[in-house]
Amino acid sequence: MSIFVSLIIFLSLIVSPVLAQETTGPKPYTREEIKSRLNEGVQQFRQNVKTERTELKTEVQNLRTINKEELEKRREELKNSAEEKREEFKNRMKEVREKAKEQIEAKRAEMKERLQTIRDEHKKKIAERLEKQLNELNERMMDHFSSVLDKLEKALVNIESRTDKAQARGWNVSAVRIMIFAAENAITEARKAVEDQSAKTYTPIISGNEEGLKPEVGQTRQTLHRDLVAVRGKVRLAYEAVRKVATTLAQVPRIDEDATPLPTASPSPTLTPTPSPTSSPTPVSTSSPQATPSPTP
């Protein structure tokens, strides 16, 4: 609209002197001269508008380039920070597991000594096999939960990067920032739960009484199951927190062409049931539980 207004003003400045000369001047302009002057003015006006548009476009492109560089730098900082946290967590897990293995070996030797009073060799072998499977199950589930948390953390980095883009475009993302902070805390709490759980051992306390062998082993199995469910609940809260912030951010239009994918790993695997102490132990699968985008409690 401003271009047309400028054009009208420009024409009025050209036509007014011409009309004035036609009424007062001794030598009025001819029609061809008026037409020529108008064409020259219009061409000059169009050239000025074109130049201004080119300069404006160049300035916008320069600003976008600067913003893009800043956003990429911010993304790298977020990525590096997340990688450092994961590396620190892995180192802590390694130390915790080494101590747990030492405790398991010591308790296993004590259990075998107490099992010497059990006459039924079949029951003794089942108890020893169960003890080994319980501790292996705990380690395998903690590996799975750690993998889920790694994927959630990577997804949160992508979400936070896109949040920076939305803010750079002028969108109000304060609510998303609050959700990101809550998701980060949920992941931290879940990692703490995984770390604490990795330090636990599940060797049945054997009294040496043959009749009490079954409930003693069964109680240890139930304790493990209860602890795994508690850790799974923490990981699920982290998953839901990341999913919530991703869903909220998806409502902000035109951030970029790439959509932020939700984490594909499920924090709610089906816990592999441990075998009953009264029957032959069922081999525990070493494969990771199936990942689903919508975990069930």
PDB file of all heavy atoms in Angstrom, residues 25-55:
ATOM      1  N   GLY A  25       2.696  29.295 -18.157  1.00  0.00           N
ATOM      2  CA  GLY A  25       3.940  29.385 -18.918  1.00  0.00           C
ATOM      3  C   GLY A  25       3.698  29.762 -20.373  1.00  0.00           C
ATOM      4  O   GLY A  25       2.632  29.525 -20.934  1.00  0.00           O
ATOM      5  N   PRO A  26       4.730  30.325 -20.957  1.00  0.00           N
ATOM      6  CA  PRO A  26       4.618  30.724 -22.364  1.00  0.00           C
ATOM      7  C   PRO A  26       4.663  29.541 -23.318  1.00  0.00           C
ATOM      8  O   PRO A  26       4.147  29.634 -24.420  1.00  0.00           O
ATOM      9  CB  PRO A  26       5.810  31.645 -22.560  1.00  0.00           C
ATOM     10  CG  PRO A  26       6.798  31.171 -21.540  1.00  0.00           C
ATOM     11  CD  PRO A  26       6.003  30.710 -20.375  1.00  0.00           C
ATOM     12  N   LYS A  27       5.327  28.414 -22.870  1.00  0.00           N
ATOM     13  CA  LYS A  27       5.513  27.299 -23.792  1.00  0.00           C
ATOM     14  C   LYS A  27       5.113  26.007 -23.085  1.00  0.00           C
ATOM     15  O   LYS A  27       5.907  25.414 -22.353  1.00  0.00           O
ATOM     16  CB  LYS A  27       6.969  27.229 -24.255  1.00  0.00           C
ATOM     17  CG  LYS A  27       7.200  26.168 -25.333  1.00  0.00           C
ATOM     18  CD  LYS A  27       8.640  26.172 -25.754  1.00  0.00           C
ATOM     19  CE  LYS A  27       8.867  25.109 -26.831  1.00  0.00           C
ATOM     20  NZ  LYS A  27      10.282  25.082 -27.263  1.00  0.00           N
ATOM     21  N   PRO A  28       3.900  25.548 -23.243  1.00  0.00           N
ATOM     22  CA  PRO A  28       3.442  24.319 -22.569  1.00  0.00           C
ATOM     23  C   PRO A  28       4.144  23.096 -23.160  1.00  0.00           C
ATOM     24  O   PRO A  28       4.589  23.097 -24.298  1.00  0.00           O
ATOM     25  CB  PRO A  28       1.943  24.303 -22.852  1.00  0.00           C
ATOM     26  CG  PRO A  28       1.803  25.052 -24.126  1.00  0.00           C
ATOM     27  CD  PRO A  28       2.869  26.115 -24.104  1.00  0.00           C
ATOM     28  N   TYR A  29       4.199  22.057 -22.312  1.00  0.00           N
ATOM     29  CA  TYR A  29       4.767  20.793 -22.763  1.00  0.00           C
ATOM     30  C   TYR A  29       3.803  20.131 -23.743  1.00  0.00           C
ATOM     31  O   TYR A  29       2.581  20.198 -23.608  1.00  0.00           O
ATOM     32  CB  TYR A  29       4.997  19.847 -21.583  1.00  0.00           C
ATOM     33  CG  TYR A  29       6.160  20.248 -20.701  1.00  0.00           C
ATOM     34  CD1 TYR A  29       5.929  20.817 -19.453  1.00  0.00           C
ATOM     35  CD2 TYR A  29       7.473  20.048 -21.130  1.00  0.00           C
ATOM     36  CE1 TYR A  29       6.988  21.176 -18.644  1.00  0.00           C
ATOM     37  CE2 TYR A  29       8.534  20.406 -20.321  1.00  0.00           C
ATOM     38  CZ  TYR A  29       8.291  20.971 -19.076  1.00  0.00           C
ATOM     39  OH  TYR A  29       9.332  21.330 -18.284  1.00  0.00           O
ATOM     40  N   THR A  30       4.396  19.434 -24.683  1.00  0.00           N
ATOM     41  CA  THR A  30       3.567  18.653 -25.604  1.00  0.00           C
ATOM     42  C   THR A  30       3.169  17.347 -24.933  1.00  0.00           C
ATOM     43  O   THR A  30       3.723  16.938 -23.913  1.00  0.00           O
ATOM     44  CB  THR A  30       4.339  18.342 -26.889  1.00  0.00           C
ATOM     45  OG1 THR A  30       5.469  17.519 -26.569  1.00  0.00           O
ATOM     46  CG2 THR A  30       4.829  19.618 -27.574  1.00  0.00           C
ATOM     47  N   ARG A  31       2.188  16.661 -25.545  1.00  0.00           N
ATOM     48  CA  ARG A  31       1.718  15.389 -25.016  1.00  0.00           C
ATOM     49  C   ARG A  31       2.841  14.350 -24.986  1.00  0.00           C
ATOM     50  O   ARG A  31       2.949  13.558 -24.032  1.00  0.00           O
ATOM     51  CB  ARG A  31       0.541  14.893 -25.841  1.00  0.00           C
ATOM     52  CG  ARG A  31      -0.124  13.631 -25.303  1.00  0.00           C
ATOM     53  CD  ARG A  31      -1.266  13.209 -26.207  1.00  0.00           C
ATOM     54  NE  ARG A  31      -2.282  14.234 -26.202  1.00  0.00           N
ATOM     55  CZ  ARG A  31      -3.280  14.302 -25.324  1.00  0.00           C
ATOM     56  NH1 ARG A  31      -3.354  13.408 -24.355  1.00  0.00           N
ATOM     57  NH2 ARG A  31      -4.178  15.254 -25.396  1.00  0.00           N
ATOM     58  N   GLU A  32       3.656  14.350 -26.020  1.00  0.00           N
ATOM     59  CA  GLU A  32       4.742  13.381 -26.069  1.00  0.00           C
ATOM     60  C   GLU A  32       5.768  13.638 -24.969  1.00  0.00           C
ATOM     61  O   GLU A  32       6.313  12.701 -24.364  1.00  0.00           O
ATOM     62  CB  GLU A  32       5.427  13.430 -27.440  1.00  0.00           C
ATOM     63  CG  GLU A  32       4.618  12.837 -28.573  1.00  0.00           C
ATOM     64  CD  GLU A  32       3.485  13.766 -28.992  1.00  0.00           C
ATOM     65  OE1 GLU A  32       3.516  14.949 -28.548  1.00  0.00           O
ATOM     66  OE2 GLU A  32       2.579  13.319 -29.718  1.00  0.00           O
ATOM     67  N   GLU A  33       6.059  14.946 -24.701  1.00  0.00           N
ATOM     68  CA  GLU A  33       7.006  15.281 -23.647  1.00  0.00           C
ATOM     69  C   GLU A  33       6.481  14.879 -22.270  1.00  0.00           C
ATOM     70  O   GLU A  33       7.223  14.370 -21.420  1.00  0.00           O
ATOM     71  CB  GLU A  33       7.324  16.772 -23.686  1.00  0.00           C
ATOM     72  CG  GLU A  33       8.137  17.197 -24.902  1.00  0.00           C
ATOM     73  CD  GLU A  33       8.327  18.698 -24.961  1.00  0.00           C
ATOM     74  OE1 GLU A  33       7.503  19.425 -24.347  1.00  0.00           O
ATOM     75  OE2 GLU A  33       9.303  19.123 -25.592  1.00  0.00           O
ATOM     76  N   ILE A  34       5.208  15.138 -22.044  1.00  0.00           N
ATOM     77  CA  ILE A  34       4.593  14.748 -20.757  1.00  0.00           C
ATOM     78  C   ILE A  34       4.656  13.239 -20.574  1.00  0.00           C
ATOM     79  O   ILE A  34       5.005  12.719 -19.510  1.00  0.00           O
ATOM     80  CB  ILE A  34       3.142  15.245 -20.685  1.00  0.00           C
ATOM     81  CG1 ILE A  34       3.115  16.785 -20.672  1.00  0.00           C
ATOM     82  CG2 ILE A  34       2.453  14.686 -19.435  1.00  0.00           C
ATOM     83  CD1 ILE A  34       1.732  17.364 -20.721  1.00  0.00           C
ATOM     84  N   LYS A  35       4.301  12.517 -21.656  1.00  0.00           N
ATOM     85  CA  LYS A  35       4.309  11.054 -21.596  1.00  0.00           C
ATOM     86  C   LYS A  35       5.713  10.528 -21.330  1.00  0.00           C
ATOM     87  O   LYS A  35       5.920   9.587 -20.547  1.00  0.00           O
ATOM     88  CB  LYS A  35       3.766  10.492 -22.895  1.00  0.00           C
ATOM     89  CG  LYS A  35       3.613   8.985 -22.884  1.00  0.00           C
ATOM     90  CD  LYS A  35       2.991   8.512 -24.190  1.00  0.00           C
ATOM     91  CE  LYS A  35       2.826   6.984 -24.178  1.00  0.00           C
ATOM     92  NZ  LYS A  35       2.223   6.491 -25.453  1.00  0.00           N
ATOM     93  N   SER A  36       6.730  11.150 -21.964  1.00  0.00           N
ATOM     94  CA  SER A  36       8.102  10.728 -21.788  1.00  0.00           C
ATOM     95  C   SER A  36       8.579  10.961 -20.365  1.00  0.00           C
ATOM     96  O   SER A  36       9.244  10.109 -19.756  1.00  0.00           O
ATOM     97  CB  SER A  36       9.008  11.465 -22.776  1.00  0.00           C
ATOM     98  OG  SER A  36      10.368  11.118 -22.580  1.00  0.00           O
ATOM     99  N   ARG A  37       8.233  12.151 -19.839  1.00  0.00           N
ATOM    100  CA  ARG A  37       8.638  12.452 -18.458  1.00  0.00           C
ATOM    101  C   ARG A  37       7.976  11.506 -17.472  1.00  0.00           C
ATOM    102  O   ARG A  37       8.596  11.064 -16.490  1.00  0.00           O
ATOM    103  CB  ARG A  37       8.281  13.910 -18.117  1.00  0.00           C
ATOM    104  CG  ARG A  37       9.161  14.943 -18.812  1.00  0.00           C
ATOM    105  CD  ARG A  37       8.668  16.358 -18.531  1.00  0.00           C
ATOM    106  NE  ARG A  37       8.731  16.660 -17.111  1.00  0.00           N
ATOM    107  CZ  ARG A  37       9.811  17.157 -16.495  1.00  0.00           C
ATOM    108  NH1 ARG A  37      10.920  17.401 -17.197  1.00  0.00           N
ATOM    109  NH2 ARG A  37       9.788  17.423 -15.199  1.00  0.00           N
ATOM    110  N   LEU A  38       6.710  11.189 -17.716  1.00  0.00           N
ATOM    111  CA  LEU A  38       6.001  10.246 -16.834  1.00  0.00           C
ATOM    112  C   LEU A  38       6.649   8.861 -16.891  1.00  0.00           C
ATOM    113  O   LEU A  38       6.833   8.198 -15.856  1.00  0.00           O
ATOM    114  CB  LEU A  38       4.530  10.165 -17.218  1.00  0.00           C
ATOM    115  CG  LEU A  38       3.671  11.383 -16.859  1.00  0.00           C
ATOM    116  CD1 LEU A  38       2.265  11.217 -17.432  1.00  0.00           C
ATOM    117  CD2 LEU A  38       3.610  11.567 -15.351  1.00  0.00           C
ATOM    118  N   ASN A  39       6.980   8.407 -18.096  1.00  0.00           N
ATOM    119  CA  ASN A  39       7.613   7.086 -18.233  1.00  0.00           C
ATOM    120  C   ASN A  39       8.969   7.025 -17.524  1.00  0.00           C
ATOM    121  O   ASN A  39       9.304   6.040 -16.872  1.00  0.00           O
ATOM    122  CB  ASN A  39       7.784   6.743 -19.708  1.00  0.00           C
ATOM    123  CG  ASN A  39       6.460   6.424 -20.377  1.00  0.00           C
ATOM    124  OD1 ASN A  39       5.499   6.023 -19.711  1.00  0.00           O
ATOM    125  ND2 ASN A  39       6.385   6.613 -21.687  1.00  0.00           N
ATOM    126  N   GLU A  40       9.738   8.123 -17.672  1.00  0.00           N
ATOM    127  CA  GLU A  40      11.026   8.165 -16.994  1.00  0.00           C
ATOM    128  C   GLU A  40      10.863   8.114 -15.475  1.00  0.00           C
ATOM    129  O   GLU A  40      11.605   7.417 -14.770  1.00  0.00           O
ATOM    130  CB  GLU A  40      11.780   9.429 -17.396  1.00  0.00           C
ATOM    131  CG  GLU A  40      12.235   9.442 -18.845  1.00  0.00           C
ATOM    132  CD  GLU A  40      12.903  10.740 -19.216  1.00  0.00           C
ATOM    133  OE1 GLU A  40      12.988  11.627 -18.317  1.00  0.00           O
ATOM    134  OE2 GLU A  40      13.340  10.888 -20.369  1.00  0.00           O
ATOM    135  N   GLY A  41       9.859   8.865 -14.985  1.00  0.00           N
ATOM    136  CA  GLY A  41       9.618   8.866 -13.541  1.00  0.00           C
ATOM    137  C   GLY A  41       9.178   7.510 -13.028  1.00  0.00           C
ATOM    138  O   GLY A  41       9.619   7.046 -11.970  1.00  0.00           O
ATOM    139  N   VAL A  42       8.286   6.861 -13.772  1.00  0.00           N
ATOM    140  CA  VAL A  42       7.792   5.541 -13.364  1.00  0.00           C
ATOM    141  C   VAL A  42       8.928   4.526 -13.369  1.00  0.00           C
ATOM    142  O   VAL A  42       9.072   3.705 -12.455  1.00  0.00           O
ATOM    143  CB  VAL A  42       6.645   5.090 -14.282  1.00  0.00           C
ATOM    144  CG1 VAL A  42       6.302   3.623 -14.020  1.00  0.00           C
ATOM    145  CG2 VAL A  42       5.418   5.965 -14.058  1.00  0.00           C
ATOM    146  N   GLN A  43       9.773   4.568 -14.401  1.00  0.00           N
ATOM    147  CA  GLN A  43      10.889   3.632 -14.472  1.00  0.00           C
ATOM    148  C   GLN A  43      11.866   3.834 -13.313  1.00  0.00           C
ATOM    149  O   GLN A  43      12.357   2.866 -12.725  1.00  0.00           O
ATOM    150  CB  GLN A  43      11.620   3.801 -15.814  1.00  0.00           C
ATOM    151  CG  GLN A  43      10.828   3.351 -17.022  1.00  0.00           C
ATOM    152  CD  GLN A  43      10.524   1.857 -16.994  1.00  0.00           C
ATOM    153  OE1 GLN A  43      11.302   1.068 -16.473  1.00  0.00           O
ATOM    154  NE2 GLN A  43       9.379   1.483 -17.558  1.00  0.00           N
ATOM    155  N   GLN A  44      12.125   5.113 -13.019  1.00  0.00           N
ATOM    156  CA  GLN A  44      13.020   5.404 -11.903  1.00  0.00           C
ATOM    157  C   GLN A  44      12.423   4.945 -10.575  1.00  0.00           C
ATOM    158  O   GLN A  44      13.115   4.402  -9.714  1.00  0.00           O
ATOM    159  CB  GLN A  44      13.304   6.923 -11.846  1.00  0.00           C
ATOM    160  CG  GLN A  44      14.291   7.329 -10.764  1.00  0.00           C
ATOM    161  CD  GLN A  44      15.669   6.733 -10.989  1.00  0.00           C
ATOM    162  OE1 GLN A  44      16.118   6.604 -12.124  1.00  0.00           O
ATOM    163  NE2 GLN A  44      16.336   6.355  -9.899  1.00  0.00           N
ATOM    164  N   PHE A  45      11.104   5.152 -10.431  1.00  0.00           N
ATOM    165  CA  PHE A  45      10.420   4.721  -9.206  1.00  0.00           C
ATOM    166  C   PHE A  45      10.485   3.209  -9.058  1.00  0.00           C
ATOM    167  O   PHE A  45      10.761   2.682  -7.977  1.00  0.00           O
ATOM    168  CB  PHE A  45       8.964   5.202  -9.244  1.00  0.00           C
ATOM    169  CG  PHE A  45       8.157   4.743  -8.063  1.00  0.00           C
ATOM    170  CD1 PHE A  45       8.273   5.381  -6.837  1.00  0.00           C
ATOM    171  CD2 PHE A  45       7.289   3.675  -8.182  1.00  0.00           C
ATOM    172  CE1 PHE A  45       7.536   4.960  -5.756  1.00  0.00           C
ATOM    173  CE2 PHE A  45       6.543   3.252  -7.100  1.00  0.00           C
ATOM    174  CZ  PHE A  45       6.670   3.901  -5.881  1.00  0.00           C
ATOM    175  N   ARG A  46      10.231   2.487 -10.145  1.00  0.00           N
ATOM    176  CA  ARG A  46      10.290   1.024 -10.104  1.00  0.00           C
ATOM    177  C   ARG A  46      11.689   0.526  -9.767  1.00  0.00           C
ATOM    178  O   ARG A  46      11.854  -0.440  -9.017  1.00  0.00           O
ATOM    179  CB  ARG A  46       9.843   0.463 -11.450  1.00  0.00           C
ATOM    180  CG  ARG A  46       8.342   0.607 -11.701  1.00  0.00           C
ATOM    181  CD  ARG A  46       7.985   0.066 -13.074  1.00  0.00           C
ATOM    182  NE  ARG A  46       6.546   0.137 -13.303  1.00  0.00           N
ATOM    183  CZ  ARG A  46       5.955  -0.216 -14.458  1.00  0.00           C
ATOM    184  NH1 ARG A  46       6.704  -0.644 -15.485  1.00  0.00           N
ATOM    185  NH2 ARG A  46       4.646  -0.120 -14.590  1.00  0.00           N
ATOM    186  N   GLN A  47      12.682   1.210 -10.303  1.00  0.00           N
ATOM    187  CA  GLN A  47      14.064   0.808 -10.030  1.00  0.00           C
ATOM    188  C   GLN A  47      14.407   1.027  -8.557  1.00  0.00           C
ATOM    189  O   GLN A  47      15.074   0.196  -7.935  1.00  0.00           O
ATOM    190  CB  GLN A  47      15.022   1.618 -10.922  1.00  0.00           C
ATOM    191  CG  GLN A  47      16.487   1.222 -10.769  1.00  0.00           C
ATOM    192  CD  GLN A  47      16.745  -0.204 -11.187  1.00  0.00           C
ATOM    193  OE1 GLN A  47      16.104  -0.716 -12.107  1.00  0.00           O
ATOM    194  NE2 GLN A  47      17.674  -0.862 -10.491  1.00  0.00           N
ATOM    195  N   ASN A  48      13.925   2.142  -7.994  1.00  0.00           N
ATOM    196  CA  ASN A  48      14.166   2.402  -6.581  1.00  0.00           C
ATOM    197  C   ASN A  48      13.510   1.348  -5.687  1.00  0.00           C
ATOM    198  O   ASN A  48      14.095   0.874  -4.704  1.00  0.00           O
ATOM    199  CB  ASN A  48      13.652   3.792  -6.206  1.00  0.00           C
ATOM    200  CG  ASN A  48      14.460   4.891  -6.874  1.00  0.00           C
ATOM    201  OD1 ASN A  48      15.607   4.672  -7.291  1.00  0.00           O
ATOM    202  ND2 ASN A  48      13.878   6.067  -6.993  1.00  0.00           N
ATOM    203  N   VAL A  49      12.264   0.996  -6.036  1.00  0.00           N
ATOM    204  CA  VAL A  49      11.555  -0.032  -5.257  1.00  0.00           C
ATOM    205  C   VAL A  49      12.275  -1.364  -5.347  1.00  0.00           C
ATOM    206  O   VAL A  49      12.435  -2.080  -4.353  1.00  0.00           O
ATOM    207  CB  VAL A  49      10.100  -0.166  -5.757  1.00  0.00           C
ATOM    208  CG1 VAL A  49       9.415  -1.372  -5.117  1.00  0.00           C
ATOM    209  CG2 VAL A  49       9.318   1.102  -5.458  1.00  0.00           C
ATOM    210  N   LYS A  50      12.736  -1.723  -6.545  1.00  0.00           N
ATOM    211  CA  LYS A  50      13.456  -2.978  -6.736  1.00  0.00           C
ATOM    212  C   LYS A  50      14.748  -3.004  -5.917  1.00  0.00           C
ATOM    213  O   LYS A  50      15.097  -4.028  -5.302  1.00  0.00           O
ATOM    214  CB  LYS A  50      13.760  -3.171  -8.225  1.00  0.00           C
ATOM    215  CG  LYS A  50      14.397  -4.508  -8.547  1.00  0.00           C
ATOM    216  CD  LYS A  50      14.603  -4.665 -10.052  1.00  0.00           C
ATOM    217  CE  LYS A  50      15.245  -6.015 -10.369  1.00  0.00           C
ATOM    218  NZ  LYS A  50      15.453  -6.188 -11.835  1.00  0.00           N
ATOM    219  N   THR A  51      15.442  -1.883  -5.922  1.00  0.00           N
ATOM    220  CA  THR A  51      16.690  -1.805  -5.148  1.00  0.00           C
ATOM    221  C   THR A  51      16.426  -1.956  -3.659  1.00  0.00           C
ATOM    222  O   THR A  51      17.147  -2.669  -2.947  1.00  0.00           O
ATOM    223  CB  THR A  51      17.391  -0.462  -5.429  1.00  0.00           C
ATOM    224  OG1 THR A  51      17.651  -0.345  -6.833  1.00  0.00           O
ATOM    225  CG2 THR A  51      18.703  -0.376  -4.663  1.00  0.00           C
ATOM    226  N   GLU A  52      15.382  -1.280  -3.175  1.00  0.00           N
ATOM    227  CA  GLU A  52      15.046  -1.377  -1.753  1.00  0.00           C
ATOM    228  C   GLU A  52      14.650  -2.799  -1.378  1.00  0.00           C
ATOM    229  O   GLU A  52      15.021  -3.303  -0.310  1.00  0.00           O
ATOM    230  CB  GLU A  52      13.915  -0.403  -1.419  1.00  0.00           C
ATOM    231  CG  GLU A  52      14.338   1.063  -1.492  1.00  0.00           C
ATOM    232  CD  GLU A  52      13.188   1.989  -1.194  1.00  0.00           C
ATOM    233  OE1 GLU A  52      12.069   1.477  -0.946  1.00  0.00           O
ATOM    234  OE2 GLU A  52      13.397   3.213  -1.198  1.00  0.00           O
ATOM    235  N   ARG A  53      13.904  -3.462  -2.241  1.00  0.00           N
ATOM    236  CA  ARG A  53      13.507  -4.844  -1.963  1.00  0.00           C
ATOM    237  C   ARG A  53      14.724  -5.764  -1.914  1.00  0.00           C
ATOM    238  O   ARG A  53      14.816  -6.655  -1.061  1.00  0.00           O
ATOM    239  CB  ARG A  53      12.531  -5.325  -3.025  1.00  0.00           C
ATOM    240  CG  ARG A  53      11.120  -4.762  -2.872  1.00  0.00           C
ATOM    241  CD  ARG A  53      10.216  -5.305  -3.957  1.00  0.00           C
ATOM    242  NE  ARG A  53       8.844  -4.854  -3.776  1.00  0.00           N
ATOM    243  CZ  ARG A  53       7.847  -5.127  -4.618  1.00  0.00           C
ATOM    244  NH1 ARG A  53       8.102  -5.842  -5.720  1.00  0.00           N
ATOM    245  NH2 ARG A  53       6.631  -4.696  -4.381  1.00  0.00           N
ATOM    246  N   THR A  54      15.660  -5.554  -2.821  1.00  0.00           N
ATOM    247  CA  THR A  54      16.875  -6.379  -2.836  1.00  0.00           C
ATOM    248  C   THR A  54      17.687  -6.173  -1.568  1.00  0.00           C
ATOM    249  O   THR A  54      18.181  -7.137  -0.965  1.00  0.00           O
ATOM    250  CB  THR A  54      17.727  -6.037  -4.075  1.00  0.00           C
ATOM    251  OG1 THR A  54      16.949  -6.246  -5.269  1.00  0.00           O
ATOM    252  CG2 THR A  54      18.968  -6.913  -4.124  1.00  0.00           C
ATOM    253  N   GLU A  55      17.819  -4.913  -1.169  1.00  0.00           N
ATOM    254  CA  GLU A  55      18.571  -4.632   0.051  1.00  0.00           C
ATOM    255  C   GLU A  55      17.888  -5.234   1.271  1.00  0.00           C
ATOM    256  O   GLU A  55      18.540  -5.788   2.160  1.00  0.00           O
ATOM    257  CB  GLU A  55      18.717  -3.115   0.221  1.00  0.00           C
ATOM    258  CG  GLU A  55      19.609  -2.468  -0.834  1.00  0.00           C
ATOM    259  CD  GLU A  55      19.647  -0.965  -0.691  1.00  0.00           C
ATOM    260  OE1 GLU A  55      18.880  -0.429   0.146  1.00  0.00           O
ATOM    261  OE2 GLU A  55      20.435  -0.311  -1.406  1.00  0.00           O
TER     262      GLU A  55
END
